[in-house]
Amino acid sequence: MLRSKFIGCLVGSAVGDALGRSSEGLWFSEAKIERFSGRWTDDTHMMIGVAESLIATEGFDGSHMAQTFIKNYEREPWRGYASGPPRVFRWIKSGMAWNEASKRLFGGSGSYGNGAAMRVAPVGLFYHDDLEQLRAVVYGQSQITHSHELGKEGALLQAYAVALATNANPPFELDSSAFLKKLKGFTRNEVYKQKLERAWELLGETNRLRVVRELGNGVEAHNSVPTAIYSFLRNPNSFEACVLYAISLGGDTDTIGAMTGAISGAYHGVEAIPERWKSKLEGREYIEKLAGKLWGIKSRL
Ligand code: AR6
Ligand code: MG
C-alpha cells in the first residue's frame, strides 16, 4: 500500500497539474476540464527535479537539487515557469551559492510564490515518518528559489499534508478537524494559522466565491496552499471529485490542482486515479518509476 501511495502522490500531482493547465486563469470552469491532454507544466517539471535529486543523493543535497532544476529548466524552458526561478538559475550559474541567490528576488524580500510548495510532494513522501527532517528538507529545497517566509511555510504545510495523507488509512482515519489541527500546530506562521482556521469554518460552504474570497486562488503560497488542503478535506473520498473541485475554484488552477492531487493521491494510492486521466498523462511511466525508486530507497534506509 505504501508503494501505491508514493506512486499515487506523484501521478496525482501531475494529473492535477495537467487538468488545471487547461483552465488556468479561468473562473469556475468545470465545463472545460475534460479537455484533458495530459500535458503538464513547470509544477510537475520541478516536482520531477525534486524527486530525481532525492533519489540520486538518497536524501537532500541543496547544491545537487539546484543543479538538477537548472539542467531540467535548460532542456525545457517553455514549461510555463514564472519569473523568479529562471532568474535564480542564472545567478547560481554565474557563481552565487544555491542557498543565497533566491534572497535577491523581489527587491530582496524573496519569493512568496507557490513554486516551492507545488513541487514539494516527494519531500512529504520521503520524510513522512520523520517530521524534524521533513521540516529541515522542506526549508532547504524551498531556499533554492523561495526564501520568503510565506513561500517556505506554504511548502512546509503542503509537504506535511502529503505526509499526513501518506500515514492515513482510508477510509477510516481521516478526521478533518484533527488533520487541520496538526497542520496548524506545525506551522509557526500566523497567516497560515488563520487560513487553516478559516478552512475549518468553510468545510460545509457551498458558495465557491466565498471560499475563494477567504482562502484565495492566486499564485501566492498563502493564497493557494490552504485552498489545496481545503479542497482535499472537502472531498476526502474521491480523487476525482477533489481535484475537480480544486480546479473549479479557478485562478492558479494548475498549481492548486497539482497540490490537491498530490495530497489526495497520497491518501488513496494510485488505483484511485481515473484510468482515463492516467492513460493520457505525459511521462506517466517515468513519474511512476521515480515514485517507485523513492519508495525503494525509503524502504531500504
Ligand atoms: N513581492 C511581490 N510579488 C511576489 C513576491 C514578493 N516578495 N513573491 C512572489 N511574488 P515566482 P513561482 C509574485 O516568480 O513561485 C507558474 O505558473 C510575483 O508576481 O517566484 O515558481 C506555476 O504554475 C511572481 O511573479 O515563481 C505557479 O502557478 C509570482 O508571485 C507559479 O508560476 C510567482 O512567484 C509559481 O511561481
Ligand atoms: Mg504551472
Side-chain angles (χ1 to χ4, degrees), residues 17 24 41-43 79-80 118 252 254-255:
D17 177 13
E24 196 173 11
T41 76
D42 57 316
D43 300 48
R79 286 274 178 197
M118 73 190 185
D252 192 3
D254 62 337
T255 299

PDB file of all heavy atoms in Angstrom, residues 17 24 41-43 79-80 118 252 254-255, ligand 2:
ATOM      1  N   ASP A  17      -2.011  18.905 -12.138  1.00  0.00           N
ATOM      2  CA  ASP A  17      -1.366  19.972 -12.904  1.00  0.00           C
ATOM      3  C   ASP A  17      -1.909  19.991 -14.333  1.00  0.00           C
ATOM      4  O   ASP A  17      -2.327  21.036 -14.860  1.00  0.00           O
ATOM      5  CB  ASP A  17       0.154  19.728 -12.878  1.00  0.00           C
ATOM      6  CG  ASP A  17       0.967  20.717 -13.702  1.00  0.00           C
ATOM      7  OD1 ASP A  17       0.422  21.752 -14.126  1.00  0.00           O
ATOM      8  OD2 ASP A  17       2.173  20.445 -13.902  1.00  0.00           O
ATOM      9  N   GLU A  24      -6.347  27.211 -16.611  1.00  0.00           N
ATOM     10  CA  GLU A  24      -5.624  28.215 -15.827  1.00  0.00           C
ATOM     11  C   GLU A  24      -6.135  29.612 -16.166  1.00  0.00           C
ATOM     12  O   GLU A  24      -6.325  29.958 -17.316  1.00  0.00           O
ATOM     13  CB  GLU A  24      -4.120  28.129 -16.124  1.00  0.00           C
ATOM     14  CG  GLU A  24      -3.289  28.847 -15.082  1.00  0.00           C
ATOM     15  CD  GLU A  24      -1.780  28.624 -15.252  1.00  0.00           C
ATOM     16  OE1 GLU A  24      -1.378  28.083 -16.293  1.00  0.00           O
ATOM     17  OE2 GLU A  24      -1.046  29.016 -14.338  1.00  0.00           O
ATOM     18  N   THR A  41       2.923  21.165 -16.645  1.00  0.00           N
ATOM     19  CA  THR A  41       3.661  22.432 -16.689  1.00  0.00           C
ATOM     20  C   THR A  41       4.889  22.383 -15.768  1.00  0.00           C
ATOM     21  O   THR A  41       5.306  21.318 -15.306  1.00  0.00           O
ATOM     22  CB  THR A  41       2.750  23.600 -16.254  1.00  0.00           C
ATOM     23  OG1 THR A  41       2.591  23.562 -14.831  1.00  0.00           O
ATOM     24  CG2 THR A  41       1.375  23.517 -16.914  1.00  0.00           C
ATOM     25  N   ASP A  42       5.419  23.553 -15.496  1.00  0.00           N
ATOM     26  CA  ASP A  42       6.596  23.684 -14.617  1.00  0.00           C
ATOM     27  C   ASP A  42       6.391  23.033 -13.249  1.00  0.00           C
ATOM     28  O   ASP A  42       7.344  22.593 -12.621  1.00  0.00           O
ATOM     29  CB  ASP A  42       6.963  25.163 -14.449  1.00  0.00           C
ATOM     30  CG  ASP A  42       5.829  25.998 -13.899  1.00  0.00           C
ATOM     31  OD1 ASP A  42       4.692  25.830 -14.349  1.00  0.00           O
ATOM     32  OD2 ASP A  42       6.078  26.824 -13.001  1.00  0.00           O
ATOM     33  N   ASP A  43       5.141  22.992 -12.775  1.00  0.00           N
ATOM     34  CA  ASP A  43       4.880  22.383 -11.459  1.00  0.00           C
ATOM     35  C   ASP A  43       5.417  20.954 -11.413  1.00  0.00           C
ATOM     36  O   ASP A  43       6.153  20.562 -10.511  1.00  0.00           O
ATOM     37  CB  ASP A  43       3.371  22.338 -11.168  1.00  0.00           C
ATOM     38  CG  ASP A  43       2.740  23.712 -11.169  1.00  0.00           C
ATOM     39  OD1 ASP A  43       2.987  24.479 -12.116  1.00  0.00           O
ATOM     40  OD2 ASP A  43       2.005  24.015 -10.226  1.00  0.00           O
ATOM     41  N   ARG A  79       8.067  25.360 -20.231  1.00  0.00           N
ATOM     42  CA  ARG A  79       7.030  24.676 -19.437  1.00  0.00           C
ATOM     43  C   ARG A  79       6.052  25.609 -18.719  1.00  0.00           C
ATOM     44  O   ARG A  79       5.078  25.142 -18.133  1.00  0.00           O
ATOM     45  CB  ARG A  79       7.685  23.778 -18.395  1.00  0.00           C
ATOM     46  CG  ARG A  79       8.285  22.514 -18.977  1.00  0.00           C
ATOM     47  CD  ARG A  79       7.251  21.416 -19.097  1.00  0.00           C
ATOM     48  NE  ARG A  79       7.810  20.219 -19.692  1.00  0.00           N
ATOM     49  CZ  ARG A  79       7.063  19.241 -20.209  1.00  0.00           C
ATOM     50  NH1 ARG A  79       5.753  19.317 -20.184  1.00  0.00           N
ATOM     51  NH2 ARG A  79       7.633  18.190 -20.726  1.00  0.00           N
ATOM     52  N   GLY A  80       6.358  26.916 -18.712  1.00  0.00           N
ATOM     53  CA  GLY A  80       5.441  27.846 -18.034  1.00  0.00           C
ATOM     54  C   GLY A  80       5.982  28.380 -16.718  1.00  0.00           C
ATOM     55  O   GLY A  80       5.216  28.781 -15.834  1.00  0.00           O
ATOM     56  N   MET A 118       4.464  23.784  -4.837  1.00  0.00           N
ATOM     57  CA  MET A 118       3.904  22.987  -5.936  1.00  0.00           C
ATOM     58  C   MET A 118       4.752  21.764  -6.259  1.00  0.00           C
ATOM     59  O   MET A 118       4.262  20.785  -6.804  1.00  0.00           O
ATOM     60  CB  MET A 118       3.761  23.856  -7.201  1.00  0.00           C
ATOM     61  CG  MET A 118       5.089  24.176  -7.880  1.00  0.00           C
ATOM     62  SD  MET A 118       4.926  25.424  -9.176  1.00  0.00           S
ATOM     63  CE  MET A 118       6.620  25.413  -9.827  1.00  0.00           C
ATOM     64  N   ASP A 252      -5.140  30.076 -10.103  1.00  0.00           N
ATOM     65  CA  ASP A 252      -3.922  29.322 -10.443  1.00  0.00           C
ATOM     66  C   ASP A 252      -4.236  27.824 -10.422  1.00  0.00           C
ATOM     67  O   ASP A 252      -3.762  27.066  -9.578  1.00  0.00           O
ATOM     68  CB  ASP A 252      -2.819  29.665  -9.435  1.00  0.00           C
ATOM     69  CG  ASP A 252      -1.461  29.144  -9.885  1.00  0.00           C
ATOM     70  OD1 ASP A 252      -1.377  28.579 -10.996  1.00  0.00           O
ATOM     71  OD2 ASP A 252      -0.492  29.297  -9.116  1.00  0.00           O
ATOM     72  N   ASP A 254      -3.577  25.154 -12.281  1.00  0.00           N
ATOM     73  CA  ASP A 254      -2.642  24.029 -12.456  1.00  0.00           C
ATOM     74  C   ASP A 254      -1.929  23.730 -11.137  1.00  0.00           C
ATOM     75  O   ASP A 254      -1.769  22.568 -10.759  1.00  0.00           O
ATOM     76  CB  ASP A 254      -1.658  24.258 -13.617  1.00  0.00           C
ATOM     77  CG  ASP A 254      -0.767  25.460 -13.433  1.00  0.00           C
ATOM     78  OD1 ASP A 254      -1.148  26.374 -12.682  1.00  0.00           O
ATOM     79  OD2 ASP A 254       0.319  25.501 -14.047  1.00  0.00           O
ATOM     80  N   THR A 255      -1.559  24.772 -10.438  1.00  0.00           N
ATOM     81  CA  THR A 255      -0.819  24.564  -9.192  1.00  0.00           C
ATOM     82  C   THR A 255      -1.732  24.099  -8.058  1.00  0.00           C
ATOM     83  O   THR A 255      -1.368  23.197  -7.292  1.00  0.00           O
ATOM     84  CB  THR A 255      -0.065  25.855  -8.814  1.00  0.00           C
ATOM     85  OG1 THR A 255       0.846  26.145  -9.883  1.00  0.00           O
ATOM     86  CG2 THR A 255       0.697  25.702  -7.522  1.00  0.00           C
TER      87      THR A 255
HETATM   88 MG    MG B   2       2.294  25.766 -13.818  1.00  0.00          MG
END
